[in-house]
Amino acid sequence: MDETGYLDRIGRLVEPGERVLAHAKAEVGGGLTPPPPPDPVTPAATGRRTVGSVLLNVLLPLATWDRGDRLVDLIGWGIAGRGTPGSAASRLHRAVDPPRPDGRIRHTLLAVTDRRLLVCRTGPVKVLAGRDDDARALAETEVVWAVPRAEVASARVGWHRLNPKRLRLDFADGSWLAFTVPIAESGRPLRDIAAALSG
């Protein structure tokens, strides 16, 4: 999809008088991420089956168990974020990667304005999408999370394992979350996000 289309759509989602300084399409980095915010409806699950979960993850990779998935992520990808349940990074990760009963793919867009950090999600996208599909996904783009710029303590792009294009967002509460782009794509949009948040 054309990056200008993203900028135009984000420009329609901001408040009157708010100016978009930078935007980037990115995904949460692979690896261990902060636990989700507490759910007031569901009691916390106990985790007695850690060893069994890890073994089942190895033997049955299509089956998922939370603790086993987290250990596999830690070993395979490292750490992509830290924070307590309910921290800024925890809430951001849940907003970007909510439970999806429909199983459809959506892109994540980061945007920095003169007031806030915005995180947007597109409508469902198809692997072999045509112009009409792209236009529909773009039209369904919405802001799923936003914080004032003062809540972002720092932003920087650097190396993580073999990927030189990983944006780390540190928040005022001490939590952090990383975003990446595929190796073949330019890291300039992520560097623009970091520069806009630092400036």
Side-chain angles (χ1 to χ4, degrees), residues 2-12 20-23 138:
D2 180 16
E3 297 297 319
T4 307
Y6 290 138
L7 183 58
D8 291 344
R9 178 61 183 160
I10 293 167
R12 291 189 200 107
V20 178
L21 304 176
H23 75 287
L138 190 60

Side-chain angles (χ1 to χ4, degrees), residues 99-173:
R100 290 188 309 255
D102 63 358
R104 299 174 84 178
I105 298 169
R106 290 165 174 82
H107 292 306
T108 301
L109 306 173
L110 304 175
V112 179
T113 72
D114 51 356
R115 301 177 195 169
R116 303 179 290 167
L117 167 66
L118 304 174
V119 181
C120 306
R121 297 285 290 180
T122 66
V125 295
K126 296 180 180 177
V127 175
L128 299 173
R131 275 190 189 169
D132 293 340
D133 297 323
D134 283 347
R136 181 193 41 74
L138 190 60
E140 293 177 15
T141 299
E142 61 183 356
V143 176
V144 294
W145 195 80
V147 290
R149 288 179 56 151
E151 293 294 318
V152 181
S154 68
R156 62 187 178 278
V157 176
W159 278 86
H160 176 71
R161 299 201 175 178
L162 296 176
N163 191 343
K165 299 171 283 194
R166 185 168 100 148
L167 171 68
R168 177 175 160 155
L169 298 174
D170 289 276
F171 298 99
D173 64 3

Side-chain angles (χ1 to χ4, degrees), residues 41-77:
V41 178
T42 308
T46 59
R48 295 182 176 170
R49 300 180 299 268
T50 303
V51 174
S53 297
V54 172
L55 182 59
L56 286 171
N57 269 57
V58 172
L59 297 175
L60 299 169
L62 296 179
T64 60
W65 289 270
D66 186 51
R67 288 186 182 259
D69 287 346
R70 291 178 66 80
L71 185 59
V72 169
D73 284 346
L74 176 62
I75 293 167
W77 298 101

